[in-house]
């Protein structure tokens, strides 16, 4: 299969709604779909996906493209990486010619990091079971873990010396540059040193049980208490959930998932029979984390530490849940307990009892904000704070929470609506208009897309040098028989932002009037603009000559003025 045919097949086979649904929450609205834009902060959906056209466009920030552009922008992929990912997803054979040396190098780098991580884990595991790892082993056993647990979670110990792992990996044939890319060493001045030293090691795995990174816990109070691997080509913290490899099937079976804060919390809960539990890895809870879990269940429980910090972290997650169209649930532990401590002291049945009756986190938040109100100003600020977060599109869900808000704050529904509308008005920002297309180009493209048969292609091609380069590429691609997706892809491949064109394609506002006449007038306008620009340029050249103007320049200017009069007459 030729490269062009291969790309065309990928664009035809890749269902944009299906692919985007893996990353964002989209809802049908008429023949299109809408979503909260993942590329800028907004509270009402302005991100539109057209399955018919195979395109997306945000009317808020102006971002748009096809399914390949989405993967490039959202996941930070290179163009060929995105193509290969889609091809593999839809079972399309990737031609050898498409595998660039750069793409092959990235694949090799990822494979090599997996190998290095595996070897590092083996080394640290041996350290844990050696004399030098006795204090680490005592700590783990003191936390209630046994040999079976330590083996199941592949736990290890990093020695205190500066480069014990580095020397070991070098002896196994790995290069310094590879070890750096894996995030296992750090550079001080001109020399490398182990990143993890004198720490208990927790391997972090993906859903396929591949080791993608590590976390190291200090043994003697050093800060930070937990040190995570830096991000690498295989370890992306905003997507990574510790314990997901063991919890994946359990989450589907149980119908819900519990998110906790610590690695040890995950291990202890899973050890005690609560296996549908995960934790974030080196970062706060993100939309990406929730989208990963949403594939498995829509019932997600937060169970953070029972202190004020844990409670505040839980409340901060509300907006993140709402952005991905999820209602958050929570379980609050008694103050001073984390899940590990609670299960040690109160036992598994007590924790399972708490998990069996989770609270709606939004309801809890409203109740919390309605407490201890001392004056009217405090009341106003608290209501505004809740409304600033409570941006829910579904009318049934919204009505439910508004009723609770009305009841808890003793405020009338009418007044509550007025406050909400006032806030929406103050937060309103008009959509960005980044279109680089003139009004004439917009009309022309709309007519061309709708009624190609009434457009004189010969006349259109004669006007090509009056268009911008991006418009020329789009029109020429379309006239050659390319699909809309391919026209957009051609713009991207030639270094042009396709968003202005997607904005025109997705805008369903009709062009009023006789389309054939509008098309002809657009061509006249383009010719007129081109001649006017050439006339101005020629006049500047004539003025530079002073009295000795070459006769051919005068003649050329007269011809341009004559052509301009003919065009203006044709427009009348």
């Amino acid at each position: 299969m030729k490269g062009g045919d291969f790309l065309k097949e990928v664009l035809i086979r890749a269902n944009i709604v299906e692919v985007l649904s893996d990353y964002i929450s989209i809802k049908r609205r008429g023949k299109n779909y809408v979503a909260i834009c993942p590329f800028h902060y907004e509270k009402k959906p302005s991100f539109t996906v057209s399955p018919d056209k195979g395109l997306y466009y945000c009317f808020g920030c102006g971002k748009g493209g096809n399914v390949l552009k989405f993967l490039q922008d959202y996941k930070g992929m290179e163009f060929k990486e995105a193509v290969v990912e889609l091809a593999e997803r839809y079972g399309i054979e990737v031609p050898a010619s498409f595998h660039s040396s750069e793409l092959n190098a990235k694949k090799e780098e990822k494979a090599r990091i997996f190998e290095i991580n595996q070897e590092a884990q083996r080394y640290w595991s041996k350290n844990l079971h050696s004399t030098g790892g006795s204090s680490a082993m005592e700590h783990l056993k003191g936390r209630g873990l046994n040999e079976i647990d330590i083996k199941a979670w592949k736990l290890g110990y990093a020695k205190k010396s500066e480069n014990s792992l580095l020397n070991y990996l070098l002896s196994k044939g790995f290069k310094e540059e590879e070890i750096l890319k894996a995030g296992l060493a750090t550079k001080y001045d001109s020399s490398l040193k182990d990143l993890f030293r004198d720490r208990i090691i927790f391997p972090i795995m993906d859903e396929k049980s591949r080791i993608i990174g590590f976390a190291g816990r200090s043994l003697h109070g050093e800060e930070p208490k937990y040190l995570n691997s830096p991000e690498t080509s295989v370890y992306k913290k905003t997507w990574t959930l510790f314990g997901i490899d063991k919890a994946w099937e359990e989450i589907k079976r149980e119908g819900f998932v519990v998110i906790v804060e610590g690695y040890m919390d995950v291990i202890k809960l899973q050890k005690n029979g609560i296996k549908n539990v995960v934790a974030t890895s080196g970062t706060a809870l993100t939309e990406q984390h929730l989208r990963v879990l949403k594939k498995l269940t829509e019932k997600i429980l937060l169970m953070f530490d029972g202190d004020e910090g844990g409670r505040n972290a839980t409340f901060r997650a509300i907006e993140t849940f709402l952005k991905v169209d999820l209602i958050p649930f929570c379980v609050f532990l008694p103050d001073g307990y984390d899940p590990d401590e609670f299960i040690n002291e109160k036992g598994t049945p007590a924790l399972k009892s708490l998990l069996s009756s989770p609270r709606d986190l939004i309801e809890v938040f409203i109740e919390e904000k309605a407490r201890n109100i001392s004056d009217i100003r405090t009341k106003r600020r608290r209501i505004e704070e809740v409304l600033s977060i409570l941006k829910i599109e579904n009318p049934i869900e919204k009505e439910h929470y508004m009723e609770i808000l009305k009841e808890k704050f003793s405020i009338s529904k009418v007044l509550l609506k007025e406050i909400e509308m006032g806030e929406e008005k103050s937060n309103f920002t008009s959509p960005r208009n980044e279109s680089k297309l003139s009004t004439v180009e917009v009309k022309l493209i709309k007519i061309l897309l709708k009624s190609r048969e009434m457009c004189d292609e010969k006349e259109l091609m004669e006007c090509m040098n009056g268009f911008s380069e991006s418009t020329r590429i789009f029109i020429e691609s379309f006239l050659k028989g390319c699909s809309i997706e391919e026209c957009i892809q051609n713009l991207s491949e030639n270094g042009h932002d396709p968003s202005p064109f997607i904005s025109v394609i997705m805008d369903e506002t009709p062009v009023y009037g006789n389309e054939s006449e509008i098309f002809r007038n657009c061509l006249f306008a383009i010719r007129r603009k081109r001649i006017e620009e050439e006339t101005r340029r020629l006049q500047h050249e004539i003025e530079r000559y002073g009295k000795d103007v070459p006769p051919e320049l005068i003649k050329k200017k007269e011809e341009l003025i004559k052509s301009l009069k003919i065009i203006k007459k044709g427009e009348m």
Side-chain angles (χ1 to χ4, degrees):
M1 188 188 297
K2 293 181 181 178
D5 294 337
F6 163 63
L7 181 56
K8 188 172 184 177
E9 185 178 357
V10 169
L11 288 172
I12 290 170
R13 294 269 297 278
N15 183 313
I16 190 168
V17 172
E18 189 175 86
V19 175
L20 268 61
S21 293
D22 280 353
Y23 306 102
I24 61 175
S25 300
I26 59 178
K27 292 182 178 179
R28 180 181 284 277
R29 184 176 288 175
K31 65 179 181 179
N32 293 330
Y33 290 78
V34 296
I36 297 293
C37 180
F39 301 117
H40 82 290
Y41 181 74
E42 63 176 3
K43 294 178 179 177
K44 289 193 174 181
S46 57
F47 186 90
T48 302
V49 183
S50 168
D52 295 338
K53 299 180 177 80
L55 299 173
Y56 67 87
Y57 185 75
C58 177
F59 290 92
C61 70
K63 278 263 190 185
N66 58 16
V67 64
L68 291 171
K69 187 74 167 66
F70 180 86
L71 290 177
Q72 288 174 265
D73 288 345
Y74 190 84
K75 295 188 73 176
M77 288 181 156
E78 298 292 335
F79 167 66
K80 288 193 173 182
E81 277 186 290
V83 175
V84 170
E85 176 163 307
L86 287 178
E88 290 176 349
R89 175 176 181 147
Y90 288 96
I92 303 168
E93 185 180 349
V94 181
S97 59
F98 201 81
H99 284 288
S100 66
S101 56
E102 184 181 350
L103 192 60
N104 288 333
K106 283 195 172 186
K107 279 192 168 184
E108 288 173 14
E109 179 185 307
K110 288 181 179 180
R112 197 64 168 163
I113 289 175
F114 285 129
E115 287 179 36
I116 294 171
N117 286 346
Q118 189 68 46
E119 196 62 55
Q121 184 275 322
R122 289 194 194 102
Y123 176 72
W124 282 325
S125 179
K126 287 178 183 176
N127 287 350
L128 181 62
H129 291 86
S130 70
T131 306
S134 59
S135 60
M137 182 66 81
E138 284 173 17
H139 177 90
L140 291 171
K141 290 188 174 179
R143 298 289 295 271
L145 303 188
N146 56 33
E147 279 292 344
I148 295 172
D149 305 320
I150 289 166
K151 185 177 180 181
W153 292 91
K154 301 180 185 294
L155 304 182
Y157 169 67
K159 291 180 181 177
K160 198 170 186 177
S161 54
E162 290 183 343
N163 52 12
S164 63
L165 176 68
L166 179 64
N167 290 338
Y168 173 77
L169 292 175
L170 291 172
S171 74
K172 289 292 181 179
F174 296 108
K175 298 174 183 175
E176 285 190 354
E177 183 184 353
E178 293 175 324
I179 299 167
L180 267 174
K181 283 183 178 177
L184 295 176
T186 185
K187 196 168 247 185
Y188 287 95
D189 298 326
S190 59
S191 61
L192 294 185
K193 292 181 181 178
D194 288 352
L195 176 67
F196 299 105
R197 300 192 294 276
D198 195 24
R199 287 177 179 267
I200 295 171
I201 300 296
F202 295 79
I204 299 165
M205 299 179 221
D206 63 13
E207 65 274 13
K208 297 177 182 177
S209 297
R210 299 176 298 185
I211 300 174
I212 56 176
F214 299 92
R217 186 195 189 282
S218 65
L219 277 171
H220 307 293
E222 299 89 348
E223 291 295 334
K225 183 178 179 181
Y226 278 92
L227 176 66
N228 284 75
S229 297
E231 291 208 344
T232 67
S233 57
V234 302
Y235 177 41
K236 305 298 181 186
K237 296 179 183 181
T238 55
W239 288 95
T240 299
L241 290 160
F242 181 74
I244 192 67
D245 55 312
K246 292 178 173 60
W248 191 274
E249 292 301 326
E250 291 293 328
I251 293 168
K252 289 193 286 187
R253 189 173 66 81
E254 294 287 346
F256 71 98
V257 61
V258 182
I259 301 177
V260 294
E261 288 185 284
Y263 301 116
M264 190 59 75
D265 294 329
V266 172
I267 294 172
K268 287 296 291 293
L269 265 62
Q270 290 214 13
K271 172 184 171 65
N272 285 276
I274 302 169
K275 299 183 180 297
N276 52 328
V277 58
V278 295
T280 57
S281 177
T283 184
L285 187 68
T286 67
E287 293 175 48
Q288 290 91 332
H289 291 138
L290 294 177
R291 287 186 179 116
V292 170
L293 294 172
K294 195 177 179 183
K295 294 178 186 179
L296 308 175
T297 179
E298 289 202 348
K299 189 169 184 180
I300 300 174
L301 281 60
L302 297 178
M303 186 168 64
F304 291 171
D305 294 353
D307 56 15
E308 186 180 353
R311 203 172 182 85
N312 290 337
T314 305
F315 289 143
R316 283 197 299 272
I318 292 175
E319 282 192 271
T320 309
F321 272 84
L322 294 181
K323 283 179 185 178
V324 296
D325 193 28
L326 285 170
I327 299 298
F329 291 88
C330 65
V331 173
F332 285 113
L333 297 172
D335 192 10
Y337 284 94
D338 62 24
D340 177 19
E341 293 164 341
F342 186 89
I343 210 165
N344 283 340
E345 188 171 322
K346 306 292 185 182
T348 303
L351 187 57
K352 284 186 174 181
S353 176
L354 283 176
L355 292 174
S356 68
S357 305
R359 293 285 314 276
D360 181 318
L361 181 57
I362 299 173
E363 292 182 9
V364 174
F365 180 67
I366 294 171
E367 291 171 7
E368 187 92 358
K369 290 298 171 184
R371 287 197 187 105
N372 302 321
I373 295 177
S374 57
D375 55 67
I376 187 62
R377 283 294 175 92
T378 302
K379 183 174 182 176
R380 186 195 77 184
R381 282 195 294 269
R382 296 273 186 89
I383 292 171
E384 288 171 349
E385 186 180 351
V386 174
L387 288 174
S388 71
I389 291 174
L390 204 60
K391 301 299 179 182
I392 299 173
E393 191 181 2
N394 184 280
I396 298 171
E397 292 173 356
K398 185 157 190 173
E399 177 73 12
H400 170 76
Y401 293 115
M402 285 300 186
E403 282 295 324
I404 294 171
L405 186 59
K406 177 173 76 73
E407 177 192 335
K408 295 298 179 184
F409 281 90
S410 302
I411 186 171
S412 72
K413 198 170 183 178
V414 174
L415 182 55
L416 193 57
K417 190 66 181 173
E418 283 183 17
I419 296 170
E420 185 187 20
M421 289 177 68
E423 187 192 325
E424 285 182 359
K425 186 176 180 181
S426 66
N427 289 335
F428 175 78
T429 54
S430 58
R432 288 168 59 191
N433 180 12
E434 294 187 347
S435 176
K436 299 172 185 174
L437 303 177
S438 66
T439 304
V440 170
E441 287 175 314
V442 169
K443 286 182 181 178
L444 195 64
I445 290 170
K446 277 195 169 190
I447 293 169
L448 184 63
L449 293 174
K450 183 186 174 187
S451 312
R452 178 176 171 176
E453 65 281 355
M454 71 170 57
C455 300
D456 189 319
E457 291 186 17
K458 185 180 177 183
E459 282 191 61
L460 187 56
M461 294 303 289
E462 287 174 357
C463 288
M464 278 297 172
N465 60 354
F467 293 116
S468 64
E469 185 184 355
S470 57
T471 302
R472 283 201 302 274
I473 291 170
F474 182 86
I475 292 176
E476 286 172 355
S477 299
F478 186 75
L479 294 180
K480 285 176 185 175
C482 291
S483 67
I484 296 296
E485 286 179 274
E486 290 174 302
C487 293
I488 294 302
Q489 190 56 45
N490 287 342
L491 284 168
S492 296
E493 289 178 7
N494 284 277
H496 295 284
D497 178 12
S499 299
F501 296 87
I502 296 168
S503 174
V504 175
I505 294 164
M506 300 284 271
D507 181 11
E508 296 183 354
T509 307
V511 176
Y512 295 102
N514 184 299
E515 290 177 351
S516 181
E517 187 177 325
I518 293 170
F519 177 80
R520 188 172 59 87
N521 285 336
C522 285
L523 294 185
F524 277 139
I526 289 163
R527 289 193 188 112
R528 185 180 72 241
K529 181 183 177 185
R530 187 184 66 202
I531 291 172
E532 286 173 345
E533 287 174 351
E534 178 62 18
T535 303
R536 284 195 294 271
R537 187 196 64 76
L538 196 61
Q539 182 60 37
H540 288 314
E541 191 174 346
I542 288 170
E543 288 172 0
R544 284 202 302 270
Y545 278 99
K547 294 180 181 180
D548 303 318
V549 182
E552 60 269 23
L553 289 184
I554 300 293
K555 185 179 179 183
K556 191 173 180 181
K557 180 183 175 183
E558 289 172 351
E559 289 172 352
L560 288 172
I561 292 170
K562 185 178 179 182
S563 298
L564 193 59
K565 286 179 180 178
I566 293 170
I567 288 172
K568 286 181 177 179
K569 188 176 180 181
E571 287 180 304
M572 294 173 65

